[in-house]
Structures are given as C-alpha cells and as structure tokens.
C-alpha cells in the first residue's frame, strides 16, 4: 500500500514522523499533496492534486480543522478516491499496532451530513452515583434495556444520516449490562466504519470475562475511562488488563474529574453563569433522539423530583428529519438550555436518598 499525505504542513509532518518512528504500516508513504506548496517536504515530493490523481493511493488527510478536512475528503471522493483516512493525533494509550486504527478516522462514509458524535445508554443506572451526573444515573433503577430496541435505534439513526464519526456506548455504567458483548457486535455490524467507544468509570473492568475483553479487542472498541477517586485506587490493575488484551484506551484523568458541577437551575434566570456541558453529545434511546443527555432524561428527573423543567426538543427517531436538516435541528437551542448553569462542586457520591440538590440549584 502506498500512502499520500494531504497537507504538507505541521500536521502532515507529525503524521509522517509517527509512521516512521512508532508504527509499521503495510506499505510506505510516497509523498504529500498540497495545493499551495511545491517541491519537497521532509524529503518527500509534494504533488498537486491533479498530479496525484494518476497515483490513486490511500490518502491520509492531515489537516487540523474538521470542516476543511471534510471539504477535502468530498473533493477527493469526486475525483474517484475511495481509500481516505483523516489523521487525528491521539495522545491516549496506544499499542502502536495499526496506525490507521489508532490515529485516524476512516472517511469511507463521509458525505455532506456527518454526525460527529452520538451516544446511547445501554444501562441507565450506575455503580458510582456521582452527584451532578448529567445523565441522572443515580435516580434510575437497575432495569436492563431491551437489546433489540436499542439496536433498532442505532439502525434507524444510521438510515437518517450518512456518517456517524464516533459512537459512545455508555450509561450509567455500561459494564453493568450483561448483554454488553451483543451490543458491541450488534453496533459494530450497523456501524462498520465508526469509531466505537465504551465510556466507563472502570470499576468493573477487572471483573470482565475473557470473552468480553476479546470482543472489545476484535471489534476495535476504545475504552474511555473516567478516573474518579475509586477508579484511581485500581487504575494500575485496569491498565494491566487492558494492556494484556491489547485494548486501546484513554484515561480522563483524576485531576479533571475532581471537580463536578450541579448542572441545572430550577430558574431560567439563575445567578449562576449559563453553560452547556454537553459539547454536541447527541443521544439516542427508546426510539428517540435529543441534542444532549440532560434533555433526553429530563422527564425522569421531573417525575422523580416533581419538578417542571422544560422537556421540549426530543424527537421521535422515526419521524425526525434526515441529513443536513437533522444536524441543523440538533443544534437549535431548546427551552431547557436556559436552565443549564455552571456551579462547581467537589466530586462526591449521592447519599442513599438521592436529592434534588444533588443535581440542581433552587435560585
Ligand atoms: S460514573 Fe459517570 S455515569 Fe456513573 S454516576 Fe458518575 S458521572 Fe454518572
Ligand atoms: S439543554 Fe442545552 S445547554 Fe443544557 S446541556 Fe443540553 S444542549 Fe447544553
């Protein structure tokens, strides 16, 4: 396999350096493509896009900005390229086995409509019950969702949008669900080119079966570990297991997890500054889609605490718009946004009786 790096700049140099120093790729880099530079870069020839057309190689887009990378990808597809990857540069725990799996996104399904990230609960409850959990996990019972229904939600979403770049399997604590292997295989079948992640507090990793660990590895699922205080106590053991199975993982460090936030105010005019904690985390489940988990589960919150926070903006997956229109709708402000505030608290867990004050301020 011959590889051309699109972008003879810092990012392109970084990709080349990684390939040369850390990875063995099945083939070689033969040069760069750049429409603004000529000559050589890092000792490799720079081609214009028209010149590269004759070479018809795997293209590695090495551009920071996602929107520019997408434009380039669509341009390349129009010229007949099918084997395209976008270099992302991950500093997480890597095995240095396959550069394209570890450091890149496969652009095979890239089109005008790309949903950068989607998440789905496979378990609503959690074994940690943090105060301020934006998924409201402490108020949920331990019931296990219907596997077929959840997989059908993924399928339905895939029919609405050309590409889902990253898909997060989470909760609550996803490893509490005994059908985790079926979820991994089922979601991978529906989303063969998407980067799959399991987001976990890590506390159950040392209880996972050999079969589950193999399944994670074989389906190229990343593990994203939130390192809360109890997790930190066993982090070495967790890493040892994941290393043994050559599973890729990232650790969201304890220092970042020590501060939490009470994410809601019952008032639209809170004294606390407004903030959006969701960062574009679209969520699906129960045949529905919402622009963030807080909105998706606000009806459970209202029922549990007898509050009346606005629930508007959740759509039925079956009837929601498709493609670009869906992306636009998912960015629109919803009435609940006026209640989302920044109100820092030290990380801690809820007491046995979960209280409204564990998630919201009354100001
Ligand atoms: S570990 Fe995560 S999902 Fe579980 S309660 Fe804490 S924040 Fe919520
Ligand atoms: S309700 Fe709006 S502001 Fe609040 S987390 Fe969701 S998208 Fe962000």
């Amino acid at each position: 396999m011959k590889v051309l790096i699109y972008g003879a700049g810092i990012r392109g140099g970084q990709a080349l350096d990684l390939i040369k120093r850390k990875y063995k790729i099945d083939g070689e880099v033969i040069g760069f493509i750049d429409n603004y530079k000529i000559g050589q870069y890092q000792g490799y020839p720079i081609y214009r896009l028209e010149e590269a057309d004759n070479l018809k190689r795997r293209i590695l887009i090495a551009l920071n900005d996602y929107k520019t990378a997408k434009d380039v990808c669509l341009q390349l597809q129009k010229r007949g390229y099918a084997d395209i990857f976008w270099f992302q540069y991950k500093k997480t725990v890597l095995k240095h086995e396959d550069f394209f799996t570890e450091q890149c996104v496969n652009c095979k399904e890239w089109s005008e409509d790309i949903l950068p990230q989607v998440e789905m609960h496979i378990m609503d409850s959690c074994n940690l019950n943090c105060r301020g959990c934006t998924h409201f996990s402490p108020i949920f019972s331990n019931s296990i969702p219907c596997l077929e229904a959840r997989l059908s939600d993924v399928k339905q979403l895939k029919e609405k949008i050309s590409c889902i770049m990253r898909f997060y399997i989470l909760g609550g604590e996803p490893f509490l669900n005994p059908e985790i292997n079926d979820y991994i295989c089922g979601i991978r079948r529906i989303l063969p080119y998407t980067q799959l992640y399991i987001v976990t507090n890590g506390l159950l990793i040392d209880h996972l079966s050999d079969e589950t660990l193999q399944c994670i590895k074989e389906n190229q699922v990343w593990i994203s570990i939130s390192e809360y205080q109890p997790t930190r106590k066993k982090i070495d053991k967790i890493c040892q297991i994941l290393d043994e199975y050559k599973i890729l993982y990232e650790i969201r460090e304890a220092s970042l997890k020590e501060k939490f936030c009470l994410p809601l105010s019952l008032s639209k005019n809170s004294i606390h500054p407004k903030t959006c904690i969701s960062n574009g985390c679209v969520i699906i489940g129960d045949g529905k889609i919402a622009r963030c988990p807080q909105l998706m589960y606000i009806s459970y919150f209202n029922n549990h605490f007898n509050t009346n926070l606005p629930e508007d903006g959740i759509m039925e997956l079956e009837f929601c718009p498709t493609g670009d229109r869906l992306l636009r709708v998912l960015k629109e402000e919803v009435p609940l946004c006026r209640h989302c505030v920044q109100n820092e608290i030290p990380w801690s867990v809820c007491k046995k009786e979960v209280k409204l004050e564990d998630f919201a301020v009354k100001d």
Side-chain angles (χ1 to χ4, degrees), residues 142-187:
N142 284 334
S143 62
I144 294 168
C146 169
L147 170 72
E148 287 73 28
R150 290 281 143 114
L151 291 182
S152 148
D153 289 343
V154 183
K155 230 187 210 156
Q156 212 157 27
L157 178 64
K158 187 64 187 70
E159 283 159 15
K160 299 273 177 181
I161 203 98
S162 306
C163 171
I164 298 168
M165 204 192 298
R166 297 188 200 92
F167 190 95
Y168 295 89
I169 300 167
L170 43 69
E173 173 48 52
F175 287 126
L176 283 173
N177 190 317
E179 295 177 309
I180 180 87
N181 298 3
D182 296 321
Y183 275 100
I184 293 171
C185 297
I187 295 171

Side-chain angles (χ1 to χ4, degrees), residues 143-362:
S143 62
I144 294 168
C146 169
L147 170 72
E148 287 73 28
R150 290 281 143 114
L151 291 182
S152 148
D153 289 343
V154 183
K155 230 187 210 156
Q156 212 157 27
L157 178 64
K158 187 64 187 70
E159 283 159 15
K160 299 273 177 181
I161 203 98
S162 306
C163 171
I164 298 168
M165 204 192 298
R166 297 188 200 92
F167 190 95
Y168 295 89
I169 300 167
L170 43 69
E173 173 48 52
F175 287 126
L176 283 173
N177 190 317
E179 295 177 309
I180 180 87
N181 298 3
D182 296 321
Y183 275 100
I184 293 171
C185 297
I187 295 171
R188 178 48 87 209
R189 264 197 300 277
I190 302 166
L191 305 176
Y193 304 110
T194 295
Q195 276 191 341
L196 295 188
Y197 287 81
I198 294 175
V199 182
T200 170
N201 58 39
L203 296 174
L204 294 173
I205 287 181
D206 55 347
H207 295 279
L208 295 180
S209 67
D210 174 65
E211 203 190 339
T212 297
L213 290 160
Q214 294 287 6
C215 179
I216 293 169
K217 169 71 186 162
E218 279 160 20
N219 286 285
Q220 295 181 351
V221 180
W222 285 75
I223 304 290
S224 179
I225 302 162
S226 306
E227 193 186 12
Y228 299 104
Q229 284 167 21
T231 315
R232 197 184 323 158
K233 289 189 188 141
K234 57 199 297 194
I235 196 72
D236 290 345
K237 178 120 193 258
I238 292 169
C239 295
Q240 190 194 332
I241 293 167
L242 298 176
D243 285 338
E244 198 182 308
Y245 282 83
K246 299 199 164 162
I247 290 169
L248 294 161
Y249 61 99
E250 62 184 14
I251 300 172
R252 291 195 269 164
E253 283 171 29
S255 56
L256 302 173
K257 292 282 157 200
E258 269 157 14
K259 293 245 161 52
F260 244 59
C261 186
L262 294 187
L264 289 170
S265 164
L266 297 189
S267 162
K268 283 192 271 193
N269 304 307
S270 173
I271 53 163
H272 296 281
K274 296 229 177 342
T275 193
C276 176
I277 205 169
S278 113
N279 194 21
C281 279
V282 170
I283 184 160
I284 56 168
D286 297 332
K288 298 186 173 66
I289 180 164
R291 61 168 294 179
C292 71
Q294 230 155 251
L295 175 62
M296 183 66 116
Y297 296 107
I298 199 67
S299 59
Y300 293 85
F301 182 93
N302 281 335
N303 286 341
H304 194 89
F305 294 115
N306 202 17
T307 48
N308 197 19
L309 287 164
E311 300 174 9
D312 324 52
I314 304 171
M315 294 175 279
E316 298 288 330
L317 264 171
E318 195 184 341
F319 304 114
C320 72
T322 55
D324 264 351
R325 257 193 77 213
L326 176 61
L327 297 180
R328 275 201 302 277
V329 173
L330 288 170
K331 282 189 190 141
E332 282 168 13
E333 195 176 288
V334 293
L336 185 64
C337 295
R338 278 176 267 155
H339 294 266
C340 293
V341 294
Q342 189 180 350
N343 181 14
E344 261 187 20
I345 51 164
W347 178 84
S348 64
V349 294
C350 298
K351 301 239 163 55
K352 201 162 176 208
E353 190 200 339
V354 180
K355 296 199 170 124
L356 173 69
E357 292 76 15
D358 290 323
F359 306 94
V361 279
K362 298 178 188 168

Side-chain angles (χ1 to χ4, degrees), residues 15-28:
L16 178 68
D17 181 58
L18 271 178
I19 291 172
K20 278 167 60 175
R21 280 192 310 112
K22 302 239 164 132
Y23 293 88
K24 276 194 192 119
I25 62 165
D26 180 19
E28 56 171 339

